[in-house]
Amino acid sequence: MQTVIVFFRDAGPDAEVDHLERQIIGQGYICQPATSDAEVLALVESQPIDLVIVACRHWHWQALAEVREAADNYLPIVLISESISDNLLERCATVDIDTVLCRPVNFGLLLFKIRSSLRLSELYRREREQKNRLLDYWQMSDLEQEVAAKLFNSVLKADFLETDAVSVSMSPMALFNGDLVLVAKTPENHLHLLLGDFTGHGLAASIAATPLADIFYGMTRKGFDISEIVVEVNTKLHRMLPANRFLAATLVALYPEDSMLKTITCGLPDHYLVHRVDKSYRAIRSSNIPLGIQAVIEPDVQLHRVGEHESLYLLTDGVFEAENASNELFGAERVLQAILESRDSDFDILQRRLAEHTGGAERKDDNTMVVLRCAVDSVPWAGSQVQAAGHKLAAMTWKQMMEFDIDSLRCTNPVPVIVNTLTELQGLQRHRQAIFLIVTELFANALDHGVLKLDSAEKTTPEGFLRFYELKQQRLQTLSDGKIRLFFSHRPTETGGRLIVKVADSGSGFDWRRHRTDLQHNAGYSGRGIALLEKLCSSVTYHGRGNRVTVAFDWQA
């Protein structure tokens, strides 16, 4: 493809300029003559232009700046002047003129400047292509991480049994880090726990997490033993995962009536069963290969007699393999020492020692810590009721209100917990996805645009999309005040029930009438919130200056 040069010259005859133009054409370049600012601008806007030569005696500096801005790529500009002065050079720098030559022009020098400018333009073009590819990769990676995180929150945590007997600390390298913790109870009030570490991170590591959680929670609810669960999980993973992917995991069952702990260890590092009073401990070592490698597994089971004052510490290999600046591993000895120094079943000392060891160095792997308090006498999870999937409850009348200040908003996303509470309370698992989308959209709008005053227009490009979330994190950390209030009420209807959700934020509001976008005609990164709410809800009503909204979700039995 030939190089196109716009030759900006005076309309009248000019022997030197005529000669230069013929010489440039003789070098194989295409010259597009222009005799006014408007003509130059029109040429740049209508076709790809590689370089502009300004050879007229009168020009407008602002017009040259507009020409450069109109180009869709880096556009070199060469200026031919009657004379060169400091003032001229300063003005040229202001509008980013690349080269200034003085009349009479040495054509050899002009040709050299043209070629060097074109080389710079080509380098700029390649750099921009590489930058765009990198931004596309970042954007795709970010979207994949969001998908993985939503899978984790909406699927893996949906049936997670919250109990004082289990504490979890996860320090992910990604939104979904490949580590997962599942907790559930059997119909007999036995407690099941799974700590797993998939190879990889992000969406690739989350692919098998959903079927794994389904197997674990479903079989636990039905009363299967962890040995049967391990066999089923291994079979499923072997069919799903490629040869270089597997799951290192430990499954634990606590039988309070027998003061017994059963463990099946499959490739994770040592676990520690610690007596909190006399600080004695037992190390539990892996006795099985990771899951998903072999088609058939006959798990080796370990049984441990436990008491009320004992706790089981389970950790993934990222804790043991954390390195300091000298590439020294944290190691099992430091892990055990920190655990034994803890006054209660927590991770405070261990986390502090780990942070001191790494000194803020970049982590090479995730680290997840779980402690199971062997509460064989108190059984704190016995009163927890896990609603069976598909079980219908009669519509009830109830109300609930929550308020989050800026400190809470900084450190937590309450939406998954809220939605889990709503669906469990009223038995609305069948409508969980719709409720999740409604609450997520309302909460995100209140946080992003209300409290943090972020503009969705920022997300119209990949660069803006990344910048939006950078600003979000920055403002979350620096904002001194702000709050979001959520109110939920429910009442029966003739066909089922009506869930009312009211959200109010401390922001200055917005003109919601100007933010209506048809879902079918929106391919951007933002602007679909109100349309989505109107599609899912029976009614959507904004109040006051737009910082309060009420929606109604009607469900049928």
Side-chain angles (χ1 to χ4, degrees):
M1 193 167 102
Q2 285 185 294
T3 302
V4 179
I5 297 176
V6 171
F7 206 81
F8 185 13
R9 54 171 297 167
D10 292 323
D14 187 321
E16 182 181 9
V17 172
D18 292 341
H19 183 61
L20 288 176
E21 184 175 351
R22 288 193 299 270
Q23 286 182 299
I24 291 172
I25 294 173
Q27 292 295 320
Y29 298 117
I30 297 175
C31 267
Q32 295 278 6
T35 58
S36 69
D37 299 331
E39 287 185 39
V40 175
L41 188 60
L43 286 170
V44 171
E45 291 177 337
S46 63
Q47 60 181 299
I49 300 298
D50 299 294
L51 186 137
V52 173
I53 297 177
V54 180
C56 56
R57 287 179 167 78
H58 302 286
W59 64 85
H60 298 95
W61 292 103
Q62 181 60 35
L64 295 183
E66 292 175 358
V67 166
R68 183 181 290 282
E69 292 176 1
D72 60 358
N73 204 335
Y74 170 68
L75 179 63
I77 299 178
V78 176
L79 176 64
I80 297 175
S81 176
E82 294 291 337
S83 61
I84 298 178
S85 64
D86 291 342
N87 182 57
L88 176 71
L89 293 176
E90 184 177 344
R91 296 294 299 272
C92 289
T94 303
V95 295
D96 293 332
I97 299 296
D98 297 86
T99 300
V100 181
L101 297 178
C102 185
R103 296 188 185 221
V105 177
N106 182 304
F107 181 71
L109 179 60
L110 174 61
L111 187 61
F112 174 79
K113 294 295 185 180
I114 289 173
R115 289 170 177 170
S116 61
S117 296
L118 292 174
R119 283 196 299 270
L120 286 175
S121 178
E122 176 64 17
L123 288 173
Y124 180 89
R125 184 189 64 79
R126 293 179 182 177
E127 180 185 9
R128 197 172 88 163
E129 288 179 354
Q130 293 172 351
K131 179 182 177 182
N132 288 339
R133 285 197 295 268
L134 184 59
L135 288 172
D136 289 343
Y137 168 79
W138 283 346
Q139 179 189 351
M140 183 59 65
S141 177
D142 190 52
L143 292 174
E144 286 185 355
Q145 290 296 327
E146 288 190 14
V147 171
K150 286 186 177 180
L151 279 174
F152 182 79
N153 288 325
S154 63
V155 179
L156 302 186
K157 299 293 290 183
D159 293 321
F160 186 91
L161 177 64
E162 300 287 351
T163 170
D164 292 338
V166 180
S167 296
V168 180
S169 173
M170 305 183 78
S171 301
M173 291 180 66
L175 290 177
F176 184 88
N177 60 10
D179 291 356
L180 74 161
V181 180
L182 308 176
V183 181
K185 69 168 187 172
T186 70
E188 299 82 17
N189 273 330
H190 302 157
L191 190 68
H192 285 182
L193 184 151
L194 183 149
L195 171 63
D197 182 4
F198 279 105
T199 49
H201 304 280
L203 190 60
S206 71
I207 290 174
T210 298
L212 167 63
D214 288 341
I215 293 172
F216 176 83
Y217 288 128
M219 294 185 70
T220 296
R221 279 195 299 263
K222 295 175 182 178
F224 285 97
D225 185 79
I226 60 171
S227 299
E228 299 169 294
I229 296 176
V230 166
V231 171
E232 185 66 23
V233 167
N234 180 78
T235 302
K236 184 71 172 181
L237 295 182
H238 185 265
R239 289 200 302 262
M240 287 186 61
L241 299 178
N244 63 340
R245 300 284 179 175
F246 54 83
L247 173 70
T250 291
L251 279 84
V252 179
L254 179 59
Y255 306 100
E257 71 278 10
D258 298 323
S259 297
M260 187 69 66
L261 189 74
K262 178 190 289 187
T263 60
I264 300 177
T265 51
C266 306
L268 285 177
D270 290 356
H271 307 310
Y272 301 102
L273 191 57
V274 178
H275 196 285
R276 298 193 300 274
V277 177
D278 62 19
K279 298 300 181 182
S280 60
Y281 72 93
R282 288 172 274 174
I284 301 176
R285 294 181 169 83
S286 178
S287 57
N288 300 278
I289 65 171
L291 303 178
I293 296 177
Q294 293 182 346
V296 178
I297 185 174
E298 296 182 4
D300 178 63
V301 177
Q302 301 179 56
L303 296 174
H304 318 273
R305 178 71 64 178
V306 293
E308 182 77 14
H309 298 293
E310 289 184 285
S311 295
L312 176 64
Y313 288 82
L314 306 101
L315 309 103
T316 57
D317 54 7
V319 179
F320 296 85
E321 297 172 2
E323 296 181 352
N324 59 15
S326 303
N327 297 322
E328 181 184 5
L329 300 181
F330 189 62
E333 183 177 345
R334 290 188 180 92
V335 169
L336 182 59
Q337 183 180 11
I339 290 175
L340 293 177
E341 290 182 16
S342 300
R343 286 174 289 184
D344 199 359
S345 299
D346 56 44
F347 313 107
D348 292 348
I349 295 179
L350 178 56
Q351 289 174 327
R352 187 165 64 249
R353 296 281 174 81
L354 187 62
E356 292 171 355
H357 176 77
T358 58
E362 182 179 355
R363 291 196 306 270
K364 297 181 179 179
D365 199 359
D366 319 297
N367 57 71
T368 298
M369 312 174 192
V370 180
V371 59
L372 169 63
R373 298 168 184 83
C374 301
V376 294
D377 297 333
S378 55
V379 194
W381 62 87
S384 304
Q385 296 298 321
V386 179
Q387 182 65 42
H391 183 72
K392 296 181 180 179
L393 294 177
M396 301 178 291
T397 300
W398 49 265
K399 296 179 181 179
Q400 185 179 33
M401 193 277 287
M402 286 165 283
E403 184 173 290
F404 301 89
D405 63 9
I406 191 62
D407 292 326
S408 301
L409 297 173
R410 255 193 283 270
C411 61
T412 186
N413 173 17
V415 172
V417 176
I418 292 172
V419 175
N420 285 340
T421 301
L422 296 177
T423 54
E424 293 294 339
L425 179 63
Q426 188 55 66
L428 294 175
Q429 286 84 356
R430 195 158 52 91
H431 305 285
R432 187 184 189 283
Q433 183 179 12
I435 295 173
F436 186 89
L437 288 172
I438 292 168
V439 178
T440 297
E441 189 62 39
L442 291 172
F443 184 82
N445 284 340
L447 177 61
D448 295 350
H449 310 310
V451 175
L452 302 181
K453 297 180 173 61
L454 294 170
D455 188 357
S456 286
E458 191 82 33
K459 296 190 287 184
T460 54
T461 64
E463 296 91 338
F465 187 82
L466 296 173
R467 175 62 178 163
F468 182 90
Y469 286 98
E470 290 174 356
L471 282 173
K472 180 175 181 178
Q473 293 305 314
Q474 177 184 334
R475 293 184 184 180
L476 267 176
Q477 297 304 317
T478 58
L479 203 64
S480 59
D481 61 347
K483 64 181 179 181
I484 297 175
R485 181 182 297 115
L486 301 100
F487 176 84
F488 302 89
S489 64
H490 186 272
R491 62 176 177 82
T493 63
E494 293 181 359
T495 58
R498 166 169 281 200
L499 176 66
I500 301 293
V501 183
K502 298 181 180 180
V503 179
D505 64 74
S506 58
S508 55
F510 74 112
D511 185 1
W512 56 271
R513 298 170 185 84
R514 297 176 55 193
H515 289 70
R516 303 173 66 89
T517 304
D518 186 349
L519 285 175
Q520 295 180 348
H521 299 92
N522 186 346
Y525 297 109
S526 63
R528 291 168 286 188
I530 296 178
L532 178 63
L533 289 173
E534 291 177 340
K535 182 178 179 65
L536 295 172
C537 300
S538 307
S539 64
V540 178
T541 305
Y542 283 86
H543 310 279
R545 61 180 187 267
N547 66 332
R548 293 182 292 119
V549 59
T550 301
V551 304
F553 175 74
D554 290 303
W555 59 273
Q556 296 182 351

